[in-house]
Amino acid sequence: MALLVRLLPLALALALGPAATLAGPAKSPYQLVLQHSRLRGRQHGPNVCAVQKLIGTNKKYFTNCKQWYQRKICGKSTVISYECCPGYEKVPGEKGCPAALPLSNLYETLGVVGSTTTQLYTDRTEKLRPEMEGPGSFTIFAPSNEAWASLPAEVLDSLVSNVNIELLNALRYHMVNRRVLTDELKHGMALTSMYQNSDIQIHHYPNGIVTVNCARLLKADHHATNGVVHLIDKVISTVTNNIQQIIEIEDTFETLRAAVAASGLNTLLEGDGQFTLLAPTNEAFEKIPAETLNRILGDPEALRDLLNNHILKSAMCAEAIVAGMSVETLEGTTLEVGCSGDMLTINGKAIISNKDILATNGVIHYIDELLIPDSAKTLFELAAESDVSTAVDLFRQAGLGTHLSRNERVTLLAPLNSVFKDGTPNIDARTKNLLLNHLIKEQLASKYLYHGQTLNTLGGKKLRVFVYRNSLCIENSCIAAHDKRGRYGTLFTMDRMLTPPMGTVMDVLKGDNRFSMLVAAIQSAGLTEMLNREGVYTVFAPTNEAFQAMPPGELNKLLVGGGADKNNVVNVNKEPVAEADIMATNGVVYAISSVLQPPAIRPQERGDELADSALEIFKQASAYSRAARTSVKLAPVYQRLLERMKH
């Protein structure tokens, strides 16, 4: 019977609002996390929640699924404990927590939920306890006993030395003149406190963390006859300055203050909204080379991009970070915000020196390192962070560095460092011209490139774009990483040095002594004009050695088509190609070490069947060509050439 009496207040609690149960059409993130904690604790009895506790601390968290399996908070190990869910308590001899907490007034409820210090300070004021015990409907965000104990001694002394003004006002600031449950605590909302109608900032994060002026809500929705109590982990204080005003009064933001004024962002930072400013200190600016800093400060667009990269689109309190998460800046980039113990990290670096400085329009975290976005960098600066430093050094040695650092709209096709593992070319006129052909005359984005597009280089060449199923290539070189778009230039990381086309297929063959016998045969066959025409050909060109190695009668043997081996080496007739991707304006040449032959046929089958056989060889061999997979227009050339050679 006694148990039944103690359970009766639960019925009243259920009637007071949806947060008292887990049922309902739309649960808040906090309620979902609480539900998960209930599920993990249910084997220990009714209304038992699994709680993760940081080892060596008193910090506890209701657990979500990811944290449950990782057993870590901010990279630190946790232990699982089981305790009564908010609003319930144990009964001697009963399993779990079957009884609802006694329903009493706000003052009595403070003691029940573990905020006896708040209860004590309420007693010291003359007016507040009668209000908490009297009629009405209130919400109090009650600091835990540990929160009061962690206040600096001078702050606490100033409160308790003037209980009817300072302490009373501080306590009233923690109160709202109506009942507010967690399902009503929306991200970015402001509640009007009972101290001079000052705002209290609420943030409700997707991971279930709820903050009140960046104090974490520990246990919520403790119902009272005249309101509700939420336990929080800090004593909160009024916020009067916006972000811009804080920048203006803090000495450590002198450089930032000047940068904001020059960029015109002061209007944003003093206006309405809820932002997070990752505010670089003077020290952060001093770490940047003077030349780089002066360039950005003198460039309004780069400066705005730089500052926007330090502003998050919503307020992010430190207590909301319990694991890594991606956040978007006003500049459009993504930052990885995480934590390591008590330290917040940005992109894996512990560069936040002071956190949770509240403003009326958001929160400020001090950082000791600038977060320079790609859009504010030169090509030199982009390359310094990529695996293309060798190529950039070649540009510098060739006296072409100004193209990578000045206000010139270009795209740099920079080969990976691994391309030069066997050494770098000597810097001469030929190398300098080759490097100029790795600079496109406009700032490109790879997502807009299309098959057949031609690109003009600073060296005067036209480069072709080839789009394949799994590759995006410019001539013989393919893009190997996501492009980086800087202030004026874009960096394409390439998988090899470009070979710009030096003429038609016939020009290429004539210019290489290895193909003199093939050239003579082509000229004898009267096919020179065809190989000089505009088109897209893939030519498997036998070298002189290939012709010389042919035994008598070899032309009559049947050959199978070519292919590619497991190492992506192009083979023809199962023999590796001697040299691939010799680019021409109307195709590409592959040097091969054997002569491709059509299948042997009977005399009566000569004619169309010979052409069909040669065509089939080219179809198979060209299937693996990088530069012109869609055309086998040279098959008739080989057909006529082989006929001439046979006779």
Side-chain angles (χ1 to χ4, degrees):
M1 184 66 179
L3 176 60
L4 178 61
V5 171
R6 300 191 69 182
L7 290 173
L8 285 176
L10 177 59
L12 177 57
L14 293 174
L16 288 174
T21 76
L22 292 175
K27 294 182 175 65
S28 68
Y30 170 84
Q31 291 169 328
L32 290 173
V33 169
L34 183 61
Q35 180 181 33
H36 180 267
S37 291
R38 277 179 174 270
L39 291 174
R40 295 297 181 182
R42 61 185 174 181
Q43 70 271 25
H44 294 273
N47 305 315
V48 174
C49 285
V51 177
Q52 284 186 270
K53 180 181 178 182
L54 275 174
I55 296 176
T57 73
N58 289 321
K59 283 191 171 183
K60 296 180 181 180
Y61 295 81
F62 293 120
T63 177
N64 60 31
C65 189
K66 182 178 180 180
Q67 292 166 348
W68 173 263
Y69 287 108
Q70 291 183 343
R71 299 294 169 94
K72 290 183 181 295
I73 299 291
C74 287
K76 302 299 181 182
S77 297
T78 63
V79 293
I80 302 297
S81 62
Y82 298 92
E83 55 188 54
C84 293
C85 296
Y88 297 91
E89 66 178 355
K90 292 181 175 295
V91 174
E94 299 288 338
K95 186 178 180 180
C97 306
L101 288 173
L103 197 63
S104 186
N105 59 52
L106 281 176
Y107 177 81
E108 297 296 335
T109 303
L110 288 174
V112 172
V113 303
S115 186
T116 54
T117 304
T118 305
Q119 193 179 45
L120 173 66
Y121 288 150
T122 299
D123 262 336
R124 292 193 180 184
T125 67
E126 295 179 358
K127 300 179 180 179
L128 198 53
R129 178 170 177 175
E131 288 186 16
M132 288 190 178
E133 292 178 326
S137 182
F138 307 101
T139 296
I140 180 167
F141 296 101
S144 65
N145 295 339
E146 292 80 5
W148 286 106
S150 66
L151 278 181
E154 62 274 14
V155 174
L156 193 56
D157 287 345
S158 68
L159 292 175
V160 299
S161 64
N162 194 345
V163 294
N164 288 318
I165 297 179
E166 297 295 336
L167 184 59
L168 177 63
N169 291 341
L171 290 171
R172 283 187 178 278
Y173 183 63
H174 289 73
M175 298 179 66
V176 177
N177 196 18
R178 64 184 179 90
R179 181 184 288 108
V180 184
L181 302 174
T182 50
D183 62 342
E184 191 181 340
L185 298 178
K186 307 299 183 183
H187 191 72
M189 74 180 297
L191 294 175
T192 302
S193 77
M194 292 174 61
Y195 170 66
Q196 296 183 352
N197 292 327
S198 299
D199 283 345
I200 301 173
Q201 294 180 15
I202 304 296
H203 294 97
H204 196 150
Y205 300 94
N207 60 7
I209 299 290
V210 179
T211 61
V212 182
N213 280 19
C214 284
R216 182 166 65 93
L217 191 150
L218 301 176
K219 291 185 177 181
D221 298 334
H222 291 280
H223 290 278
T225 56
N226 57 345
V228 63
V229 177
H230 304 290
L231 192 68
I232 59 176
D233 72 345
K234 293 183 182 71
V235 178
I236 62 175
S237 56
T238 56
V239 180
T240 56
N241 291 328
N242 59 47
I243 292 175
Q244 178 62 29
Q245 289 170 328
I246 294 174
I247 293 174
E248 290 174 353
I249 62 178
E250 290 292 331
D251 292 338
T252 192
F253 295 143
E254 182 180 357
T255 308
L256 175 61
R257 184 160 56 246
V260 169
S263 69
L265 281 174
N266 50 322
T267 303
L268 173 74
L269 297 180
E270 65 188 10
D272 295 334
Q274 284 291 304
F275 304 104
T276 299
L277 174 63
L278 303 172
T281 61
N282 295 337
E283 179 185 356
F285 283 98
E286 291 167 1
K287 292 179 180 178
I288 301 301
E291 180 181 358
T292 300
L293 182 58
N294 291 335
R295 175 184 62 79
I296 294 176
L297 292 177
D299 181 343
E301 185 172 335
L303 179 58
R304 179 174 284 270
D305 286 349
L306 171 69
L307 294 176
N308 279 337
N309 201 48
H310 291 74
I311 304 173
L312 307 185
K313 292 183 174 181
S314 63
M316 179 67 65
C317 296
E319 286 291 345
I321 310 299
V322 294
M325 61 190 301
S326 297
V327 295
E328 188 177 359
T329 69
L330 289 187
E331 202 275 327
T333 60
T334 298
L335 301 178
E336 294 298 322
V337 179
C339 52
S340 177
D342 291 332
M343 296 184 299
L344 287 187
T345 61
I346 304 293
N347 294 338
K349 296 181 179 180
I351 60 175
I352 294 180
S353 57
N354 194 6
K355 56 192 179 184
D356 287 348
I357 309 303
L358 277 172
T360 56
N361 56 349
V363 61
I364 299 175
H365 304 296
Y366 293 31
I367 62 172
D368 292 333
E369 187 173 307
L370 274 183
L371 306 171
I372 305 178
D374 287 350
S375 59
K377 294 176 181 176
T378 65
L379 279 171
F380 265 137
E381 292 161 352
L382 291 175
E385 302 166 357
S386 305
D387 191 22
V388 295
S389 56
T390 304
V392 172
D393 284 340
L394 287 175
F395 276 89
R396 188 181 286 109
Q397 294 169 26
L400 302 175
T402 54
H403 294 294
L404 309 185
S405 59
R406 66 188 185 188
N407 303 345
E408 185 176 4
R409 297 286 182 184
V410 294
T411 298
L412 171 63
L413 310 178
L416 288 162
N417 289 338
S418 58
V419 173
F420 304 100
K421 61 181 183 297
D422 297 325
T424 57
N426 294 324
I427 301 300
D428 53 23
R430 181 177 178 278
T431 301
K432 184 173 181 178
N433 189 60
L434 178 62
L435 292 174
L436 284 172
N437 285 321
H438 282 72
L439 283 168
I440 308 300
K441 285 184 176 181
E442 56 183 312
Q443 188 175 16
L444 301 171
S446 62
K447 62 185 177 182
Y448 295 119
L449 297 181
Y450 57 89
H451 190 78
Q453 184 178 3
T454 58
L455 310 173
N456 296 312
T457 73
L458 292 185
K461 294 292 183 182
K462 290 184 179 295
L463 305 181
R464 294 160 298 178
V465 176
F466 298 96
V467 179
Y468 305 117
R469 187 179 302 277
N470 296 313
S471 300
L472 177 59
C473 306
I474 299 172
E475 294 297 341
N476 62 311
S477 184
C478 295
I479 296 174
H482 293 296
D483 40 306
K484 290 178 170 288
R485 186 177 180 86
R487 175 67 178 92
Y488 292 100
T490 297
L491 174 67
F492 285 0
T493 300
M494 312 300 292
D495 67 355
R496 65 181 67 187
M497 287 287 286
L498 283 167
T499 304
M502 304 305 294
T504 65
V505 168
M506 198 63 199
D507 293 332
V508 170
L509 295 175
K510 284 182 176 180
D512 193 324
N513 291 332
R514 293 177 298 174
F515 304 122
S516 60
M517 294 180 67
L518 176 61
V519 169
I522 291 172
Q523 291 172 335
S524 177
L527 302 175
T528 302
E529 182 181 353
M530 174 179 285
L531 295 183
N532 278 323
R533 291 175 186 166
E534 183 178 345
V536 183
Y537 302 116
T538 297
V539 181
F540 295 97
T543 62
N544 294 342
E545 289 77 8
F547 283 108
Q548 294 165 354
M550 291 172 59
E554 185 68 21
L555 290 176
N556 295 323
K557 291 185 178 180
L558 297 176
L559 300 175
V560 297
D565 68 16
K566 293 180 181 180
N567 295 315
N568 294 320
V569 176
V570 176
N571 292 322
V572 179
N573 296 344
K574 299 183 180 179
E575 294 295 328
V577 167
E579 184 179 349
D581 294 339
I582 305 171
M583 307 306 294
T585 56
N586 58 346
V588 60
V589 175
Y590 287 75
I592 58 176
S593 55
S594 61
V595 179
L596 294 181
Q597 307 167 52
I601 56 176
R602 293 186 297 275
Q604 64 269 26
E605 294 175 338
R606 300 180 190 275
D608 291 344
E609 293 189 16
L610 178 61
D612 291 343
S613 298
L615 182 62
E616 183 61 28
I617 289 174
F618 273 88
K619 283 182 178 178
Q620 296 181 44
S622 65
Y624 297 92
S625 165
R626 178 193 298 274
R629 300 183 184 185
T630 59
S631 176
V632 289
K633 295 180 180 178
L634 201 59
V637 178
Y638 262 97
Q639 177 218 331
R640 294 171 60 186
L641 179 60
L642 291 172
E643 286 178 349
R644 292 263 184 171
M645 294 173 64
K646 185 172 179 62
H647 292 95

